[in-house]
Amino acid sequence: MFKSHPKGLIPAALSNMGERFGYYIMNAVLVLFLCSKFGLDEETSTLIYSFFYAGIYVLSLVGGVIADKTQNYKRTIIQGLIIMTIGYCVLSVPVLATPDNTTWLLTLTCVALFFIAFGNGLFKGNLQAIVGQLYDNPKYASQRDSGFQIFYVFINIGGLIAPFVAPLLRSWWLDQNGLAYDASLPALCHQYLGATTTMATENIDNFYALVTSVGGNVSGDIQAFCQKYLEVFNTGIHYSFIASVLAMIISLVIFIVTKNSLPNPGRKEKAEVVNYTAEEKAAMAKEIKQRMYALFAVLGIAIFFWFSFHQNGTSLSIFARDFVKTDTIAPEIWQAVNPFFVIVLTPLVMLLFGSLSKRGKEISTPRKIAIGMGLAGIAYLFLAVYSYYQGYPSGTEFRAEALANPDAVAAVKAGPWVLILLYFFLTVAELFISPLGLSFVSKVAPKNMQGLCQGLWLGATAIGNLLLWIGPLMYNKFPIWQAWTVFLVVCLISMGVMLAMVKWLERVAK
């Protein structure tokens, strides 16, 4: 698989894998962690998540500008890894949230998230620019798409392992303190501490039953138990962020050791530009304009893909917690299904594309992206039909019913197969869009703007992420099949627009 690719691909992919492992540990639990630690409602938690996730990609644009201006991509990448490490160090310190310290502690948490986002912005796009530079060599140019697919597999190896880390450490720490895990209990503890008088008698009885099931004593001080459970529950998650710190350090070491084998995108082109005549520069300016138009057209489609796909960290994660039978599996772990499919399916997708190419039926990158949007639509079509058939109400109504009548609600929860099938379609869609989108950007980007253009791709992702809060909002306000239908329509419209632009994009990308 690697013989026809440049030697620098594996070191770059390994460095990225380490960083992604640390990132996905935190990302897998972030929304639920904000709810359990600070007692925030899901809309507020997902709003913070949306701004954080968007910040990663907006700041990638800043990181690309910095690297292009300084012409020192490698130093920018190293600085990004160091800044991210600082952010994870802050998150790893366990401090119990109380009414007296919640304001400054939540502020400190958001500052740590900013450090992670800014460091990621310096790191992510510029490393991708270096990978794209590896394939500017005519010897490897035909392998650009498959090179980015391999790079993407390494990302998802980290993403596959990471979602297990926080739940395992959390469960271990609960066990060390004589307690057991229950996904719904932190929210109920916050509710009990904040407003016990608003809980109906039947709900309080069910709450006491949950307390007993995780090792509490209902004849003792329930408020003290709630405080202890929240402290132990969240401390276990804080410990998982130590693993993120270690992953950042490993990624930094790998990059520093191997950086001399990697190109520096700007330097080669700086020497070549001085040889262009005025006529050549005019022709180049026209070509650059066309390339940038094509780039922004694809970026527009990417916005709506990421808006739909990254629901895996917001509404789909909450769906796994509320509507899926996850008694023995923490809801965060279901996020490992997506990277598992990426690793398993990428070789098959590469084999398919390679076979079509050998038979003279190669599918262009823009057409692959359009197909990917259609596959994402299929994923949401399935979930919308299933939710409608089951008669699922809004998330808010379902949780209220679960507390009042837990046995009846348990009987209508979905089996794990629903999430597995959903993530199968979303993953295939991702393989048709994300790595190939990176490849398309590296192909059409002007050579002296590689970092900036990779930052623009990530900036489009940021805009999509800024819209993520809409998913949980719909999820909690309307019957959930309506929320999934909105994403279905978004994907289908995006596919149609992309298909309408395919021939033009193919001409520009030649």
Side-chain angles (χ1 to χ4, degrees), residues 219-261:
S219 62
D221 187 342
I222 300 298
Q223 286 195 339
F225 167 81
C226 289
Q227 291 170 345
K228 178 183 177 182
Y229 192 82
L230 290 171
E231 180 179 11
V232 174
F233 188 96
N234 292 306
T235 297
I237 300 177
H238 281 291
Y239 288 161
S240 69
F241 297 141
I242 297 174
S244 295
V245 174
L246 295 176
M248 292 301 107
I249 293 173
I250 292 171
S251 181
L252 179 62
V253 170
I254 291 172
F255 187 80
I256 290 175
V257 170
T258 62
K259 67 185 179 71
N260 290 335
S261 66

Side-chain angles (χ1 to χ4, degrees), residues 280-474:
E280 289 172 330
K281 288 181 179 180
M284 286 173 59
K286 182 178 180 180
E287 181 183 352
I288 287 173
K289 183 182 292 187
Q290 286 295 313
R291 285 173 175 264
M292 295 303 290
Y293 285 155
L295 177 62
F296 278 102
V298 174
L299 295 181
I301 300 300
I303 289 171
F304 295 105
F305 172 72
W306 293 120
F307 165 57
S308 303
F309 179 80
H310 278 156
Q311 293 298 318
N312 60 354
T314 54
S315 60
L316 292 178
S317 183
I318 300 169
F319 174 77
R321 184 197 66 187
D322 293 343
F323 287 90
V324 180
K325 296 175 183 177
T326 57
D327 299 336
T328 58
I329 302 176
E332 300 95 334
I333 290 179
W334 288 105
Q335 292 191 45
V337 175
N338 169 243
F340 169 78
F341 276 137
V342 169
I343 295 166
V344 171
L345 296 176
T346 293
L348 299 178
V349 172
M350 291 175 64
L351 184 64
L352 171 64
F353 291 160
S355 175
L356 291 172
S357 180
K358 288 179 181 178
R359 289 186 290 171
K361 298 180 180 179
E362 182 175 2
I363 304 175
S364 68
T365 300
R367 195 172 296 273
K368 291 173 185 174
I369 293 174
I371 294 171
M373 291 303 305
L375 291 169
I378 291 174
Y380 281 107
L381 173 63
F382 157 70
L383 197 55
V385 171
Y386 180 84
S387 298
Y388 180 81
Y389 176 78
Q390 292 290 101
Y392 287 153
S394 69
T396 300
E397 293 175 4
F398 196 78
R399 288 191 297 274
E401 181 63 23
L403 183 59
N405 195 356
D407 292 336
V409 166
V412 299
K413 283 191 174 184
W417 67 271
V418 172
L419 287 177
I420 293 172
L421 188 58
L422 169 72
Y423 279 117
F424 172 81
F425 282 110
L426 282 178
T427 301
V428 178
E430 180 187 9
L431 293 177
F432 273 71
I433 295 176
S434 187
L436 301 178
L438 296 176
S439 175
F440 182 82
V441 172
S442 72
K443 188 182 299 183
V444 302
K447 302 305 178 185
N448 64 332
M449 299 170 64
Q450 286 283 330
L452 173 62
C453 290
Q454 288 290 348
L456 286 172
W457 168 263
L458 298 171
T461 311
I463 297 174
N465 291 336
L466 276 174
L467 303 174
L468 290 178
W469 60 273
I470 296 175
L473 180 65
M474 295 188 297

Side-chain angles (χ1 to χ4, degrees), residues 55-222:
I56 287 174
Y57 297 97
V58 168
L59 292 169
S60 292
L61 181 58
V62 176
V65 171
I66 290 172
D68 285 338
K69 185 176 181 179
T70 62
Q71 293 294 287
N72 198 326
Y73 290 74
K74 296 174 184 177
R75 185 180 66 191
T76 305
I77 288 170
I78 291 171
Q79 291 170 342
L81 286 168
I82 293 172
I83 292 171
M84 279 189 282
T85 303
I86 294 171
Y88 286 119
C89 284
V90 174
L91 285 183
S92 67
V93 179
V95 179
L96 176 66
T98 67
D100 295 329
N101 69 6
T102 294
T103 300
W104 72 260
L105 190 57
L106 180 58
T107 301
L108 181 63
T109 300
C110 291
V111 169
L113 292 175
F114 172 79
F115 270 73
I116 295 169
F118 182 54
N120 205 290
L122 296 174
F123 173 85
K124 191 177 180 71
N126 291 314
L127 186 62
Q128 290 168 184
I130 285 178
V131 173
Q133 183 78 358
L134 291 170
Y135 291 90
D136 285 346
N137 185 333
K139 179 180 177 181
Y140 304 113
S142 63
Q143 299 298 318
R144 185 183 296 268
D145 278 5
S146 61
F148 272 97
Q149 287 174 316
I150 292 171
F151 184 73
Y152 208 68
V153 166
F154 276 82
I155 291 174
N156 283 276
I157 291 174
L160 172 63
I161 302 170
F164 292 90
V165 174
L168 286 175
L169 286 173
R170 179 182 58 205
S171 295
W172 167 77
W173 190 241
L174 284 166
D175 183 64
Q176 292 297 304
N177 286 270
L179 299 169
Y181 168 76
D182 186 279
S184 62
L185 195 51
L188 294 175
C189 285
H190 280 293
Q191 184 180 349
Y192 187 89
L193 290 172
T196 54
T197 57
T198 65
M199 296 180 71
T201 301
E202 183 181 8
N203 291 353
I204 289 180
D205 290 340
N206 289 326
F207 172 64
Y208 287 169
L210 277 178
V211 170
T212 302
S213 70
V214 300
N217 182 3
V218 295
S219 62
D221 187 342
I222 300 298

Side-chain angles (χ1 to χ4, degrees), residues 301 304 373 487-499:
I301 300 300
F304 295 105
M373 291 303 305
F487 294 115
L488 166 63
V489 171
V490 166
C491 292
L492 293 180
I493 292 175
S494 298
M495 179 184 69
V497 173
M498 192 69 188
L499 287 173

